[in-house]
Amino acid sequence: MSNFFVLGEHDLTLSEIRSILTEDKKLKLSDKAVDAIVNCRKFLDEHIQSSEDPIYGVNTGFGSLYSRNISKADLEQLQSNLVMSHACGTGPQIDSRIVKIMLLLKIQSLLYGHSGVQLATVERLLDFYNEDILPVIYESGSLGASGDLAPLAHLSLPLIGKGEVFFKGEKITGENLLAKMQWEPIHLKAKEGLALLNGTQFMNAFGVHAVLASEDIFNWANTISALSLDAFDGRPEPFDSKIHLIRNQDGQKIVAEKILELLNGSEIIKQSKVHVQDPYSFRCIPQVHGASFDAINYVKNIVGKELAGVTDNPNIFPEEGEIISGGNFHGQPLAISMDFLAIALAELGSISERRTYQLISGSRGLPDFLVMNPGLNSGLMIPQYSAASLVSQSKQLCTPASVDSIVSSNGQEDHVSMGANAATKLYKVVENTYQVLAIELINASQAIKFRRPLKTSSHLEEIIRNFRQQVPLIEEDRILHKDIVKAVHFIKTQKA
């Protein structure tokens, strides 16, 4: 059972999610989680039988239809209708990695025993995760307020034999899935559809992906910038700890220390310098990267708290004997945080592109465009164009989604977070930043060639050696798209 991760023994953490995903672990429920789910459902069933009081979404309509009472005979049909009617996603299908995280987060939220779902429903979601059955979910359709209604409806459709899934390399219907697996459809009981659809798991799946990626991006930004600094024959003084201590910004101090560590033993950094100062894209690496680091940590905290939260509605408290309708599905904490993270990552890309520009500018004894036979060859002229395009797009994507709101459900839902839009924009910024850094790595590793026979640090020399196995030195023009693709794969799969 070593390749299983037991959910529900404690709050899930981001580092555990990284381990679950990278080690391809399967999931199981703890006894504590099973008891919580069963006890909550038992309390809800008994309450429904003993009381005629209206409970939002249990025996009433949804949204502005909350005043419509539903008979006990129709409570199960109400939940199935909810899932089908809310499956209104549009646009491209989202990445299967995000769907996998959504399943994990939905299970985690339901196991606290405040949602009223059947154990069978959670177990079927576990089966989906463990068997790599990934519902087809679309990018657009959620306002990020009354839960991620549309995308979570698509996540839930296959439970009742509807919708579509990817399974063993093909897209099949929910009905075909049940037949293949010899499963009966889940018969949703009162409140279950609402528990499945109310929640922030679409937003937070993107948030989890982005935070984990941003940690890797930050580490690579430091490593690649150190290599660029040496390739540019930059000065070490801007990284002196005394400068950063008197400003007292945590991220700045950490980055300055890391850059010096990365350059420890470099012959290039030790040689005497002709230039008194470096451009800001080199000199201010600690200030810029450090600010992004602090932002990443802030968002990491918010996303981490959401992992340990219940975000559906209404919430059930069996021990207190209460069912309380509130607004935990509102995505504002995530929406603001993901807008913030997009800005932080975009800035790492922005300063990276400027370093690339400096490296190809013909300064500091480097040839124009780092080309060995100029004129006949254009060298690294155009990758900088690509980086500039990506940086510009990321800037455009950093227009905040969280400050927008459009009234829905006849005015009942009169303030929404637009967190889903923040999430999908952030995903694109993450990918853009990987590509911009990959382009800088191509340029920096090429530029170092012109500093020979001097060497950079042993760590950075090892990075170059490993990189050269994927992307050879550019001696004459070739199709650089392939180099960029390989460089992106390198930084996504290797440690900085």
Side-chain angles (χ1 to χ4, degrees):
M1 301 295 285
S2 61
N3 202 41
F4 276 81
F5 185 89
V6 180
L7 293 172
E9 292 184 334
H10 56 263
D11 290 338
L12 190 63
T13 67
L14 280 162
S15 62
E16 287 171 336
I17 290 183
R18 185 186 285 277
S19 173
I20 290 167
L21 296 175
T22 56
E23 298 174 29
D24 198 23
K25 290 181 178 289
K26 296 185 183 296
L27 306 176
K28 63 180 295 188
L29 296 177
S30 67
D31 292 341
K32 177 183 176 183
V34 170
D35 289 344
I37 294 166
V38 170
N39 290 339
C40 184
R41 183 69 225 181
K42 181 172 181 285
F43 167 79
L44 179 59
D45 285 339
E46 290 173 351
H47 185 88
I48 292 169
Q49 291 303 316
S50 63
S51 174
E52 298 294 333
D53 293 341
I55 308 170
Y56 173 75
V58 176
N59 55 13
T60 74
F62 307 105
S64 65
L65 299 176
Y66 66 90
S67 60
R68 303 293 180 91
N69 292 327
I70 310 298
S71 69
K72 288 183 179 179
D74 291 329
L75 295 187
E76 291 189 15
Q77 186 62 50
L78 174 70
Q79 301 303 313
S80 295
N81 286 350
L82 175 71
V83 174
M84 291 187 290
S85 68
H86 284 49
C88 296
T90 65
Q93 296 169 12
I94 66 170
D95 192 306
S96 61
R97 294 171 296 176
I98 302 297
V99 179
K100 191 91 169 177
I101 299 171
M102 283 180 70
L103 284 168
L104 170 57
L105 299 187
K106 177 51 76 174
I107 294 165
Q108 177 66 26
S109 181
L110 296 176
L111 61 75
Y112 285 105
H114 294 293
S115 300
V117 293
Q118 301 174 85
L119 179 60
T121 303
V122 182
E123 289 176 335
R124 182 62 56 82
L125 291 171
L126 278 169
D127 289 336
F128 281 9
Y129 187 95
N130 291 337
E131 298 294 332
D132 222 26
I133 297 167
L134 302 177
V136 175
I137 300 172
Y138 301 93
E139 183 177 291
S140 301
S142 172
L143 299 178
S146 194
D148 287 313
L149 295 174
L152 287 173
H154 286 282
L155 185 82
S156 305
L157 281 172
L159 296 171
I160 59 174
K162 306 289 184 182
E164 295 178 310
V165 301
F166 284 105
F167 181 50
K168 294 185 176 179
E170 63 175 330
K171 185 194 288 187
I172 61 175
T173 66
E175 185 178 16
N176 287 341
L177 171 70
L178 296 184
K180 282 178 179 287
M181 303 301 290
Q182 298 183 325
W183 287 339
E184 289 295 319
I186 297 294
H187 296 284
L188 298 176
K189 291 189 175 182
K191 172 56 168 76
E192 283 202 280
L194 199 59
L196 290 166
L197 270 57
N198 276 181
T200 61
Q201 287 78 39
F202 178 81
M203 287 176 276
N204 208 31
F206 279 95
V208 167
H209 170 79
V211 167
L212 295 179
S214 68
E215 292 178 327
D216 297 335
I217 285 170
F218 171 75
N219 289 332
W220 271 113
N222 289 334
T223 297
I224 295 169
S225 68
L227 182 59
S228 290
L229 181 72
D230 244 7
F232 197 63
D233 195 25
R235 303 188 67 96
E237 292 89 351
F239 306 92
D240 190 301
S241 62
K242 294 187 289 296
I243 295 174
H244 307 289
L245 285 171
I246 64 173
R247 192 177 192 185
N248 200 32
Q249 292 288 349
D250 292 340
Q252 180 176 326
K253 289 185 283 187
I254 288 168
V255 172
E257 182 179 354
K258 183 63 179 178
I259 298 298
L260 289 180
E261 177 188 326
L262 287 163
L263 291 169
N264 184 38
S266 168
E267 296 170 351
I268 302 170
I269 202 72
K270 290 177 182 176
Q271 72 175 345
S272 60
K273 310 296 179 184
V274 175
H275 301 87
V276 176
Q277 282 190 331
D278 293 328
Y280 286 3
S281 57
F282 295 96
R283 196 185 343 154
C284 299
I285 288 169
Q287 290 79 6
V288 177
H289 288 202
S292 290
F293 176 78
D294 291 334
I296 290 167
N297 278 343
Y298 171 81
V299 178
K300 182 178 179 180
N301 179 59
I302 298 296
V303 168
K305 288 180 182 296
E306 198 81 349
L307 298 179
V310 178
T311 56
D312 67 298
N313 176 65
N315 301 129
I316 301 167
F317 300 90
E319 292 185 5
E320 294 84 356
E322 293 183 275
I323 302 173
I324 304 173
S325 183
N328 274 357
F329 45 55
H330 200 292
Q332 198 73 6
L334 292 175
I336 292 174
S337 298
M338 288 188 288
D339 282 339
F340 191 20
L341 184 56
I343 293 169
L345 293 176
E347 281 300 286
L348 290 178
S350 179
I351 196 171
S352 169
E353 183 276 330
R354 289 292 82 196
R355 290 189 295 266
T356 293
Y357 180 85
Q358 294 286 353
L359 289 171
I360 64 171
S361 66
S363 303
R364 305 283 177 93
L366 296 173
D368 291 340
F369 309 117
L370 305 176
V371 65
M372 296 183 179
N373 186 7
L376 177 63
N377 293 292
S378 295
L380 286 165
M381 179 190 294
I382 304 303
Q384 183 267 329
Y385 285 45
S386 298
S389 174
L390 291 162
V391 166
S392 180
Q393 185 183 68
S394 288
K395 291 175 187 176
Q396 294 153 17
L397 290 168
C398 283
T399 300
S402 56
V403 298
D404 189 22
S405 179
I406 296 177
V407 177
S408 60
S409 195
N410 284 349
Q412 180 71 2
E413 297 164 12
D414 59 348
H415 182 278
V416 300
S417 76
M418 297 299 180
N421 289 349
T424 53
K425 291 195 302 95
L426 172 59
Y427 182 84
K428 182 65 174 174
V429 173
V430 168
E431 292 304 306
N432 285 356
T433 308
Y434 270 123
Q435 293 174 74
V436 173
L437 286 170
I439 290 169
E440 184 187 356
L441 178 57
I442 292 171
N443 281 270
S445 61
Q446 181 81 3
I448 280 286
K449 171 70 175 178
F450 298 99
R451 299 300 177 197
R452 300 306 189 202
L454 296 179
K455 291 185 177 181
T456 185
S457 69
S458 58
H459 177 72
L460 294 179
E461 290 286 351
E462 183 180 7
I463 293 283
I464 295 170
R465 283 194 299 273
N466 293 336
F467 185 60
R468 283 285 165 258
Q469 295 176 18
Q470 304 296 320
V471 180
L473 190 72
I474 301 168
E475 297 183 353
E476 57 184 25
D477 283 348
R478 59 179 186 244
I479 301 173
L480 293 180
H481 163 77
K482 296 177 181 179
D483 293 54
I484 295 170
V485 170
K486 290 176 182 177
V488 170
H489 181 262
F490 180 81
I491 64 176
K492 283 187 173 182
T493 58
Q494 303 293 319
K495 287 190 176 296

